[in-house]
Amino acid sequence: MCSRPTSAWRMHKPPRERLPVWLRRAWPQSLLGRLSLVMVAGLLVTQLTASAIWASQLRAKAQVEAQSASLYMANGAAGAIRYFRSLPANYRLLQIQQLREMGGTRFFVNLNSSYVPVREIAPHPLARSVIDTIGAALKTDLPHSPSFHLAFAWPDQLVVSGDDVRLADLPDAWVQHILLLKPDPAPILVIQTEIEPGNWLYMAALMPNPYFLSGNDPLAWDRLALQGLSLAVVLLLCLLVVRSITRPLAALSDAAAAFGQDERAPPLPETGSREFINTARAFSAMRERIQRYIEDRERLFISISHDLRTPITRLKLRSELLDDESLRNEFEEDLDELDMMVKGALQCVKDSDIHENPAEIKLDALLGRLVRSAQLAGHTVAWQAAGMTVRAKPLALKRAVGNLLDNALFYGQRAEIRTYSAPGTVTIAVRDHGPGVPEDAFASLFDPYVRLAHGRERNDGGMGLGLGIARGIIEAHDGQLILENHPEGGLNAIIRLPA
C-alpha cells in the first residue's frame, strides 16, 4: 500500500506578475490573441506617432505660409488705406463705385460712419497668428493711423455696413471677383479703421490661400478615412499571417494533449512554414519513440514478472531444506520482501498506465461500490449521494479514489467521503480521523517506496506506491490532488477534476 502522507501538500504555482486586475483580464490567454494584440498595438502606436510628426510638420509649414501671406495682405491693405486717405472725401464714394463697376480690386471696400460689429469665426490659433501679424505690420507701415480692427468672419454672417446690410445682399458683380462665396465658403478677413472722424474704411478680402485654416488640419475626415483604410488593410493582413502561424501550433497542442491522454490522434499534417514542418516531423518521431518505449516497458515488466517469480519460488523451496531455523527464517523474510517489491513495481506500472476511453461517470455509483466494499470488510465509511457526474476513465478514477480510501481506512480507522461542485470543477474529498501529518517531510510524499514510521507501524505490508499512482491518474485527467490536514483532525485528500 501507499505511504502515510507526512504534511499538507498544496500545489505551488510560479509567482505571477503583479499587474492590475483590469490588465490581467484584458491580456489574452491564447497565442493568437497575444500576437494580434501586440501587432495591433504596434501598428496603432506607429500610425499615431507618424501622424503626430506629419501633423507637426504640416502645422509648421502652414505657419510659415500664413506669415508670408499675412505680410502680403498687410502690404496691400496699407496701400489701400493710404490711397483712400489721400482722396478728398467727396471722391471716395465715386472711386469705390468705379472700382465696383470695373470688377473690384483685391479688397471689397466700403465706407461707413462707424465701426461695424463683426461676428467672428470660432477661435483658431492660426487665424489669431494671421491677425496679429497683419495688425503689427499695419501699425508699422501706418504709425499715425488710429487703431485697426481685424477679424475673420464667414460669408453668410458677414455684415458690410451699419444698416445691417449683409454680404449676401450685395449684387454678385460687386463681390464675385473678390470674395469666393460658392461652392465652398472660406473665412473672409475684415479690416476696419477710422481714416478721419466719422469715416470708417471697411475692407474685406480672402487670404491668398482661402482654405488655409482647414488645409493644415490633420484630423480632416478625408485624411482620417485614408489612414483608417490603410490601417485596416494592414491589420487584416497581419491577422491573416498571425492566424496562419498559430493554427499549426494549435494542431500541435491538440496532438500533444491527445497523446498525453493515450488517445490515438491522427498524424500532424506536414504543411505550412519550414519551421512547423520540421516541428511536426520531430513531434511525430518523438511520439513514435515514446510509444515504442511504453510498449517495450510493458513487455519488460511482464518478462520481469515471469522471470523473477520462478527463481523466487525456487529459492523459497530450497530455503525449506536449510537445517538452521534462524537462517531459514532470514532467507524467507528476504524472499518475501523481494516478492513484495516485484508486485509493487508491477502494480505501479499497471495502475499508472491504464488504456481506456473517457466516459461520463456517475460518482454516486462509483463511490457507492467502494463504500459498500469497505463496509463489508468491517470498516466505517460515511458517505452521502450527491448526484454528480464527471468525464473520466472509469477504472483509473476508481483506482485513484480507492487508493485514497484505503489510506484513510488503514491510517485513520474510519473515513468520510464528500462530493461537491464549484464553478468549473467537481471535488471529491476523502477524510480520515487519524492523527494528521507532521510538517517536515511533505516534499517526499509521492516518492515511491517512501514510508513513514507511523505508516510502517499500521501497515507493514505496504510499498509506498498508492499516492504516486493516485496523483498520476488525477493529473492525467487535468485535475489536482491536494493533501492537507483537516481543521478538526485527520488528513483530508481532495481530488479536483474539470467539470
Side-chain angles (χ1 to χ4, degrees):
M1 294 301 297
C2 62
S3 65
R4 173 66 182 197
T6 62
S7 130
W9 182 88
R10 292 177 175 85
M11 300 294 291
H12 297 281
K13 297 181 180 180
R16 299 181 61 183
E17 297 182 62
R18 297 184 177 275
L19 297 175
V21 176
W22 65 268
L23 186 57
R24 291 200 299 268
R25 291 178 179 176
W27 185 246
Q29 298 300 318
S30 65
L31 180 60
L32 174 61
R34 292 182 178 181
L35 287 178
S36 300
L37 180 61
V38 170
M39 296 187 72
V40 169
L43 285 173
L44 287 177
V45 170
T46 303
Q47 190 80 3
L48 291 175
T49 304
S51 298
I53 296 174
W54 173 71
S56 176
Q57 295 176 346
L58 189 63
R59 290 193 182 98
K61 180 182 178 182
Q63 185 70 30
V64 172
E65 293 177 351
Q67 291 295 318
S68 177
S70 300
L71 295 176
Y72 171 74
M73 293 293 292
N75 184 43
I81 293 173
R82 290 194 195 96
Y83 174 72
F84 282 99
R85 183 177 291 168
S86 65
L87 292 176
N90 297 333
Y91 285 95
R92 290 171 185 162
L93 289 176
L94 179 62
Q95 183 63 40
I96 291 174
Q97 186 64 32
Q98 290 177 352
L99 291 175
R100 290 173 180 174
E101 292 177 356
M102 294 171 57
T105 60
R106 178 163 190 80
F107 293 93
F108 167 79
V109 184
N110 195 24
L111 290 174
N112 298 304
S113 59
S114 63
Y115 168 75
V116 178
V118 178
R119 186 175 179 182
E120 301 185 28
I121 65 174
H124 195 284
L126 191 57
R128 175 49 51 189
S129 175
V130 169
I131 290 175
D132 294 341
T133 302
I134 295 177
L138 289 177
K139 290 180 181 179
T140 302
D141 291 348
L142 304 171
H144 302 294
S145 297
S147 60
F148 298 94
H149 298 269
L150 292 86
F152 280 101
W154 294 109
D156 58 342
Q157 301 173 353
L158 182 60
V159 179
V160 298
S161 66
D163 52 358
D164 201 25
V165 177
R166 296 180 177 271
L167 186 63
D169 300 331
L170 299 177
D172 291 342
W174 290 10
V175 296
Q176 64 181 356
H177 300 298
I178 304 173
L179 305 178
L180 180 64
L181 302 179
K182 299 177 182 179
D184 190 11
I188 297 174
L189 174 65
V190 179
I191 303 175
Q192 299 184 71
T193 183
E194 191 176 23
I195 58 177
E196 59 188 27
N199 286 325
W200 283 75
L201 183 64
Y202 182 103
M203 295 187 298
L206 293 171
M207 294 291 290
N209 177 15
Y211 304 102
F212 72 102
L213 292 182
S214 59
N216 70 323
D217 185 12
L219 300 180
W221 69 269
D222 53 343
R223 292 173 179 169
L224 289 178
L226 181 61
Q227 291 182 355
L229 179 61
S230 61
L231 181 61
V233 172
V234 173
L235 289 179
L236 179 60
L237 294 177
C238 291
L239 291 177
L240 291 177
V241 172
V242 171
R243 184 171 178 80
S244 66
I245 294 174
T246 55
R247 182 179 295 176
L249 295 179
L252 178 62
S253 175
D254 294 340
F259 180 63
Q261 297 177 0
D262 296 331
E263 297 177 359
R264 296 294 180 178
L268 288 173
E270 296 183 2
T271 59
S273 63
R274 179 178 59 187
E275 291 78 7
F276 177 73
I277 292 176
N278 294 336
T279 302
R281 292 174 178 173
F283 177 81
S284 299
M286 179 192 68
R287 181 166 59 181
E288 293 176 359
R289 288 195 301 270
I290 293 177
Q291 189 64 39
R292 288 196 301 268
Y293 166 75
I294 294 175
E295 294 173 355
D296 292 343
R297 186 188 65 168
E298 293 178 353
R299 288 193 294 268
L300 173 64
F301 275 89
I302 291 174
S303 300
I304 291 175
S305 174
H306 179 271
D307 295 341
L308 289 183
R309 286 181 182 276
T310 300
I312 290 175
T313 303
R314 189 164 53 246
L315 289 174
K316 285 183 178 181
L317 294 176
R318 291 179 179 178
S319 66
E320 296 294 335
L321 302 177
L322 294 176
D323 296 332
D324 190 340
E325 183 177 357
S326 61
L327 180 62
R328 183 171 62 253
N329 292 335
E330 291 179 358
F331 265 100
E332 291 178 351
E333 290 179 0
D334 290 340
L335 292 173
D336 289 339
E337 183 178 354
L338 179 60
D339 188 31
M340 184 64 66
M341 291 178 63
V342 172
K343 291 179 180 178
L346 293 175
Q347 180 189 11
C348 180
V349 173
K350 178 182 178 182
D351 288 353
S352 62
D353 188 20
I354 302 173
H355 300 282
E356 56 179 334
N357 295 324
E360 294 292 333
I361 302 174
K362 295 182 179 181
L363 292 180
D364 290 348
L366 184 145
L367 297 177
R369 287 193 295 270
L370 292 175
V371 170
R372 285 192 297 271
S373 298
Q375 291 174 346
L376 290 175
H379 299 290
T380 302
V381 182
W383 169 72
Q384 186 175 1
M388 297 182 186
T389 61
V390 68
R391 185 170 181 80
K393 296 180 179 181
L395 292 179
L397 183 60
K398 182 179 180 181
R399 285 192 177 97
V401 178
N403 284 349
L404 298 179
L405 181 60
D406 289 343
N407 272 4
L409 296 175
F410 271 114
Y411 304 119
Q413 296 182 356
R414 60 190 179 95
E416 296 177 2
I417 300 179
R418 292 192 307 118
T419 56
Y420 53 92
S421 62
T425 61
V426 172
T427 302
I428 304 172
V430 181
R431 178 201 170 189
D432 64 35
H433 289 266
V437 295
E439 298 287 341
D440 57 352
F442 71 93
S444 59
L445 280 177
F446 298 97
D447 294 343
Y449 309 114
V450 174
R451 306 182 66 244
L452 302 181
H454 176 67
R456 290 193 297 268
E457 292 173 0
R458 299 298 304 271
N459 181 21
D460 57 358
M463 294 302 299
L465 298 172
L467 271 182
I469 294 172
R471 184 178 68 169
I473 292 174
I474 299 304
E475 290 181 348
H477 287 79
D478 295 329
Q480 292 179 322
L481 175 58
I482 302 174
L483 304 180
E484 59 186 12
N485 284 322
H486 196 276
E488 299 179 1
L491 181 73
N492 199 23
I494 301 174
I495 297 175
R496 289 178 181 168
L497 296 172

